[in-house]
Amino acid sequence: MMRRILGLSAITVLLLAGAVQPALAQTPQSPAGSSTPDASAVASSDAPPVAAPSSYSATSLYNLGNSYARAGKPGLAVLNYERASLLAPDDPDIEANLRYVREGAHLPVEPRSTWQRVVTVGSPTLWSLLGALGVLLLGCALLAGERYPAHRWKRRAAALVGFVLLGATAGNALVLWPTLHAAVIVTGATPVQVSPVPMGDQLFTLPEGETVTITAEHEDFVLVQTATGRKGWVAGVNLVAVVPRHAGA
Amino acid sequence: MNARFVQPVVIQRCWLVAVMATVAVMTGFWPGPARAAQQLTTATLDPQQIILGQSTTLTVTLTGSQPQQFNMPQVEGLEFGMLGQSHRVEIMNGAILTSTSLIIRVTPQTAGIFTIPGLTPQSQPLILRVSPDNGSGATGTARSSTVPGALLGAPNAEGIRMAADGAAFVKLVLPKRDVYVGESVPVEIEVGARDGFARPNGLPTLTSSEFTLNNLTRQPENYQKVIDGKPYTVFTWRSEIAAVKPGKFTLSLDVPFTVRIRTRPSRDSAIEDALGDPFLQNFFGATVQKDITVSSPSSDLAVLALPTEDQPKDFTGAVGQFSVASDISATAAAAGDPLTLRLHVTGTGNFDRVDSPMLEHVDGWKTYPPKSSFKGSEATGKGEKTFEQPVIASKPGAQTLPGLAFSYFNPTTKHYETARSAPVSVSISPSLADSSLSAPQAPTTGPTANKTPATPPPVGLRADHATESDTVNTLVPLYARPLFLAIPAALALAFVGTWLALRRSAAPRRRSQYGNSKAVNRILQDMQAASRSRDATLFFNIARSALTTSLAARWQLAPEDVTLDEVDARLGSEGAEIREILALADEANYSGHVMTSTDFQRWVQIVHDQLMEASPA
């Protein structure tokens, strides 16, 4: 029986490694501090470069956000800071600059709670692997209980660790879930309409840099919800999703 | 109008057609002597005295074989209309006499005595007397040919002056006070039209050029009202008028109507009136359609000039009662950010004269011309006019925009008043671009080793990171990707499946253990019962039976083959207790061995241990 458990664990580890490998595929790294093509577009053109790059790094996104902030474009700056915080949620520079740009744009800034800080200590990738490890520990504890009833405390300790890892991963997902479905307004005084038609009645306007939650889409319009709970339709050209839905989005 | 009379005769009766055809045939085929030239024309008017609003009949008889061209008479104030004609053929002493009678409706447009000149030089003129309706004697004021003033009666107690035939009325309700130039004065206009007899075909218009009337809707309020037992549809407009210059003026309204006028004398229309239904009346030729204009009773209104004393410099002509308030689009902004300063003027009055230049020169601010918009009702004069002025702060810091003033003339207090709004405070921060450019670019501390350690600046953007970090192809976390989620899910399923399989494989053993434990308990209970009854023989027989059965099953022997020798051979010294129990059983059977309660408990425990040890694992 023990052989089976060990064999199953080995297969799991191999599968995890195989799945993670493509996600963590390394791309040729750009020189330190250099800007991405998006960043270079900031200085040369006023058009918002919203096309999703082929690869992301926390550093390049952070530097890109700085470039937009210096160019006086808080919307795109907030967007890149939000993206950078997904890859490095515990980076104090990203958090500080995001707060600074939001305050400069007169946007509400909500401090992160202790719970949010705890579950975002590591990157989502790390928590994903730890969550899988938690499943592995819980399973092994379950099987060992059948095979080795005498080692009760060891089994319970393994189950507890596995449960904690799994819970922390779920907490990380819970904290980042709104960001995964968020979008940033990239144009000033964006009108929010009652209906998803070009001549729809206007409800209110959103300032540039405001982060909203995407709840639905209809043709070229997106149904958004603000932090205060107000809902309305916004033209898709006025906002950019923090996590691109598809290539080129 | 005369063109109508030279048109071909309209034949309204079928018998007229038949008579005409007969006459035509007879005159066409009868020999010449029978034909007589037209000799005489006679005309009669019946009746010769009518009431205004009624019509009389003029019958013109032309004698002769051929009906000749007949020219309608033209009399000022009378309207002639052909109703039909008839032909008559008489044979007297072999001579054929033919005559044609033309029936003409005569409708007066005003009261008075009219003279219809003779239709031929030999004929006498006809006299028609037209008296005012109901003997009121009010003839109104005939102003133009399109306004038949004779149709206007005197206003009644309700201020309603009915048209002469009672088909329509117009009422203008004005405030009973003096007004000021430019002041918006609410008025109420009521236009009544008798159902089926009249309908307005245009909007009311003022007869005086000294006043302006706000636009009237083409869909006014309307309701049914019964006046003197007759149903009317009353249309109501609520609007405002404004005087353009001071003085005392007479004000009234004109409303165009389309009415149906009775064409026969009242005494001949009794049956038609009895029909009631205007459609039936029209079908039997009792009424004709006519366009008229009905005026409201005249009202006198004194218009006062606005006082020149103490008139504010910023007075723009607003008259009424107003209040003002101002706000700004954001109370905190960065230098260079456009803001919108708003001035709300609410109240009642002539909002078309409400105007404000807003702010023109404010230190530290750049101002632009304002735009205005009005929300409210022009009919009631109540509403809100909002002025929006773009302003841009050029300096950071706490800024205050001065309050805005608005001057107007209050007709209630008869004084000029100035309403002021409160100053607006705005917090202006340095512009984002400026602060970004001026932010310290010192490296910062960070948790990762690829950042240059430094003390973070208190304000401004933190510096760029120097070293590139790991790159990924997507921002979606691993746990949100289906491919990754499939692995822990499959792992959990595998664990649960294995656990269930293990539980299933161990089930028979668990069931066997459970069954054995129940049998052992039953044996022990029997032994306890025997010990309580101090029956040593029964006690040891039960013990021996249980042990031999258990050992026979373990050794795969028959229970009777489990003897003391077999126990010694297989268990040796470990089987001493079993051997002793078997020996005591024989002794109890043959010698009646007596034991204490303590001995019973000891042997019960020994049998329990032996049976549990012998049970299959």
Side-chain angles (χ1 to χ4, degrees):
Chain A
M1 179 59 64
M2 195 59 189
R3 289 179 183 174
R4 290 181 186 175
I5 295 176
L6 292 176
L8 193 58
S9 302
I11 292 172
T12 303
V13 171
L14 289 175
L15 287 174
L16 281 174
V20 172
Q21 185 63 27
L24 301 179
Q26 299 293 315
T27 56
Q29 296 186 352
S30 58
S34 67
S35 299
T36 65
D38 281 353
S40 62
V42 174
S44 59
S45 171
D46 289 336
V50 295
S54 58
S55 62
Y56 303 90
S57 75
T59 299
S60 62
L61 290 170
Y62 169 77
N63 294 342
L64 190 57
N66 286 351
S67 299
Y68 282 124
R70 295 189 186 98
K73 297 185 176 180
L76 292 171
V78 169
L79 172 69
N80 284 279
Y81 288 142
E82 291 278 12
R83 288 177 170 177
S85 67
L86 276 179
L87 299 179
D90 53 345
D91 191 324
D93 291 345
I94 297 174
E95 183 182 355
N97 283 4
L98 178 58
R99 173 186 292 271
Y100 176 76
V101 171
R102 278 183 168 159
E103 288 177 346
H106 313 291
L107 297 170
V109 179
E110 295 182 0
R112 290 200 302 170
S113 64
T114 305
W115 157 253
Q116 290 175 324
R117 291 184 181 279
V118 168
V119 297
T120 54
V121 164
S123 69
T125 301
L126 176 63
W127 282 114
S128 301
L129 297 176
L130 291 178
L133 180 61
V135 173
L136 196 62
L137 287 175
L138 276 175
C140 290
L142 185 68
L143 296 183
E146 288 293 321
R147 186 65 182 87
Y148 304 102
H151 305 285
R152 178 175 298 177
W153 290 109
K154 293 180 182 177
R155 285 188 286 109
R156 288 184 177 179
L160 180 63
V161 172
F163 185 78
V164 169
L165 292 178
L166 204 55
T169 303
N172 182 270
L174 200 63
V175 169
L176 294 185
W177 194 257
T179 306
L180 299 179
H181 297 81
V184 179
I185 304 296
V186 295
T187 57
T190 296
V192 182
Q193 302 178 174
V194 177
S195 53
V197 293
M199 301 303 292
D201 293 336
Q202 181 175 322
L203 287 173
F204 52 93
T205 59
L206 287 174
E208 182 179 2
E210 175 91 25
T211 302
V212 296
T213 302
I214 298 175
T215 57
E217 295 183 29
H218 177 76
E219 295 181 350
D220 296 334
F221 285 83
V222 180
L223 180 62
V224 301
Q225 182 175 4
T226 65
T228 57
R230 293 192 298 178
K231 279 188 172 182
W233 291 91
V234 174
V237 297
N238 293 328
L239 49 76
V240 180
V242 174
V243 177
R245 304 297 174 86
H246 46 78
Chain B
M1 182 170 295
N2 291 335
R4 294 169 54 190
F5 300 125
V6 297
Q7 290 176 352
V9 174
V10 178
I11 300 175
Q12 297 185 355
R13 304 286 195 278
C14 294
W15 62 270
L16 288 179
V17 178
V19 170
M20 289 180 66
T22 304
V23 171
V25 169
M26 292 179 68
T27 56
F29 293 97
W30 216 266
R35 298 184 178 183
Q38 182 176 338
Q39 299 293 327
L40 184 61
T41 298
T42 61
T44 60
L45 192 64
D46 183 29
Q48 296 181 348
Q49 184 168 357
I50 59 175
I51 301 173
L52 183 62
Q54 297 179 342
S55 298
T56 186
T57 303
L58 173 65
T59 304
V60 179
T61 303
L62 305 174
T63 58
S65 58
Q66 294 287 340
Q68 296 185 355
Q69 183 72 29
F70 174 77
N71 295 323
M72 284 286 183
Q74 294 185 357
V75 178
E76 186 73 20
L78 295 181
E79 184 177 301
F80 296 87
M82 182 68 73
L83 293 178
Q85 67 177 4
S86 64
H87 287 267
R88 188 175 183 180
V89 179
E90 293 177 319
I91 302 175
M92 296 179 65
N93 299 326
I96 300 174
L97 300 177
T98 63
S99 62
T100 301
S101 297
L102 303 177
I103 303 171
I104 301 169
R105 185 193 65 234
V106 181
T107 305
Q109 295 180 331
T110 181
I113 299 175
F114 299 91
T115 300
I116 302 174
L119 301 178
T120 63
Q122 293 77 19
S123 61
Q124 296 295 321
L126 300 174
I127 304 300
L128 174 63
R129 290 180 172 81
V130 180
S131 58
D133 189 15
N134 297 330
S136 63
T139 57
T141 53
R143 295 179 302 277
S144 67
S145 59
T146 58
V147 182
L151 292 177
L152 304 177
N156 61 11
E158 297 179 356
I160 297 175
R161 183 164 61 184
M162 195 71 68
D165 60 350
F169 68 86
V170 179
K171 180 182 178 183
L172 173 63
V173 180
L174 287 171
K176 299 182 184 304
R177 62 176 176 83
D178 296 341
V179 300
Y180 285 89
V181 174
E183 179 183 0
S184 294
V185 181
V187 297
E188 185 174 300
I189 302 169
E190 283 191 356
V191 173
R194 185 177 171 188
D195 293 348
F197 286 90
R199 57 179 172 82
N201 58 15
L203 292 173
T205 55
L206 285 175
T207 59
S208 174
S209 61
E210 289 80 14
F211 294 89
T212 60
L213 176 65
N214 284 352
N215 293 333
L216 301 177
T217 177
R218 290 195 171 274
Q219 294 180 337
E221 301 174 15
N222 65 86
Y223 63 94
Q224 299 294 321
K225 184 177 183 180
V226 176
I227 301 175
D228 295 334
K230 298 174 183 177
Y232 285 80
T233 299
V234 180
F235 302 91
T236 304
W237 287 270
R238 290 182 178 83
S239 184
E240 287 183 334
I241 60 171
V244 297
K245 61 182 181 182
K248 289 187 177 181
F249 304 103
T250 300
L251 190 62
S252 66
L253 284 170
D254 284 345
V255 182
F257 276 87
T258 298
V259 300
R260 296 184 183 281
I261 297 178
R262 184 175 292 146
T263 59
R264 298 188 182 183
S266 297
R267 62 176 183 273
D268 296 338
S269 304
I271 298 177
E272 297 157 357
D273 287 343
L275 294 175
D277 191 339
F279 173 75
L280 294 177
Q281 293 176 351
N282 187 52
F283 181 80
F284 286 95
T287 61
V288 294
Q289 190 167 290
K290 183 177 179 62
D291 292 333
I292 65 171
T293 299
V294 180
S295 299
S296 68
S298 299
S299 301
D300 294 328
L301 196 61
V303 180
L304 306 177
L306 291 174
T308 55
E309 296 179 1
D310 301 325
Q311 188 177 79
K313 293 182 179 178
D314 61 342
F315 178 69
T316 58
V319 180
Q321 293 174 327
F322 303 95
S323 61
V324 299
S326 62
D327 59 14
I328 197 163
S329 57
T331 56
D337 286 353
L339 300 172
T340 302
L341 179 64
R342 287 184 287 263
L343 173 65
H344 305 274
V345 181
T346 57
T348 305
N350 53 348
F351 275 96
D352 58 334
R353 304 294 295 271
V354 172
D355 197 6
S356 173
M358 300 285 283
L359 298 177
E360 294 182 355
H361 302 290
V362 181
D363 289 338
W365 292 84
K366 186 174 184 180
T367 60
Y368 295 86
K371 294 180 180 178
S372 64
S373 60
F374 176 72
K375 288 182 179 179
S377 171
E378 289 187 355
T380 60
K382 294 181 180 178
E384 174 180 312
K385 196 166 192 176
T386 303
F387 297 86
E388 294 184 338
Q389 182 180 30
V391 295
I392 297 177
S394 57
K395 297 178 181 178
Q399 305 278 358
T400 300
L401 287 168
L404 299 167
F406 172 72
S407 297
Y408 61 95
F409 181 78
N410 190 336
T412 304
T413 62
K414 300 182 180 180
H415 287 91
Y416 290 101
E417 295 179 4
T418 299
R420 301 180 188 279
S421 66
V424 176
S425 298
V426 187
S427 176
I428 303 299
S429 59
S431 68
L432 186 61
D434 294 340
S435 60
S436 300
L437 291 172
S438 61
Q441 298 299 310
T444 63
T445 56
T448 55
N450 57 4
K451 298 163 193 167
T452 307
T455 302
V459 293
L461 286 177
R462 295 190 180 184
D464 290 351
H465 289 172
T467 306
E468 185 61 88
S469 58
D470 295 338
T471 58
V472 294
N473 294 324
T474 176
L475 291 172
V476 180
L478 270 179
Y479 49 65
R481 300 182 210 174
L483 180 62
F484 178 83
L485 281 177
I487 295 171
L491 192 61
L493 286 175
F495 277 125
V496 172
T498 306
W499 180 73
L500 290 175
L502 289 176
R503 296 277 298 179
R504 171 174 284 186
S505 63
R509 186 188 62 189
R510 293 175 190 272
R511 282 197 297 270
S512 174
Q513 288 177 342
Y514 177 73
N516 289 338
S517 64
K518 287 182 66 176
V520 168
N521 288 336
R522 190 164 51 247
I523 291 170
L524 295 177
Q525 287 175 0
D526 293 342
M527 291 175 70
Q528 293 286 1
S531 70
R532 282 193 296 271
S533 62
R534 298 198 175 277
D535 188 347
T537 304
L538 178 58
F539 179 88
F540 283 107
N541 282 339
I542 294 172
R544 181 173 62 183
S545 174
L547 289 175
T548 55
T549 303
S550 174
L551 293 175
R554 188 193 303 179
W555 297 337
Q556 296 182 347
L557 297 173
E560 56 272 19
D561 293 337
V562 180
T563 61
L564 292 175
D565 297 337
E566 190 69 23
V567 171
D568 290 338
R570 288 182 180 266
L571 297 178
S573 60
E574 293 181 356
E577 291 178 337
I578 296 175
R579 190 178 186 282
E580 189 174 0
I581 289 175
L582 295 179
L584 285 174
D586 290 339
E587 183 181 350
N589 283 332
Y590 298 110
S591 65
H593 182 75
V594 177
M595 294 186 298
T596 64
S597 59
T598 306
D599 294 333
F600 279 120
Q601 292 304 320
R602 172 173 169 262
W603 292 118
V604 167
Q605 186 62 42
I606 290 173
V607 171
H608 172 265
D609 295 342
Q610 291 296 329
L611 290 179
M612 292 305 295
E613 186 178 348
S615 298

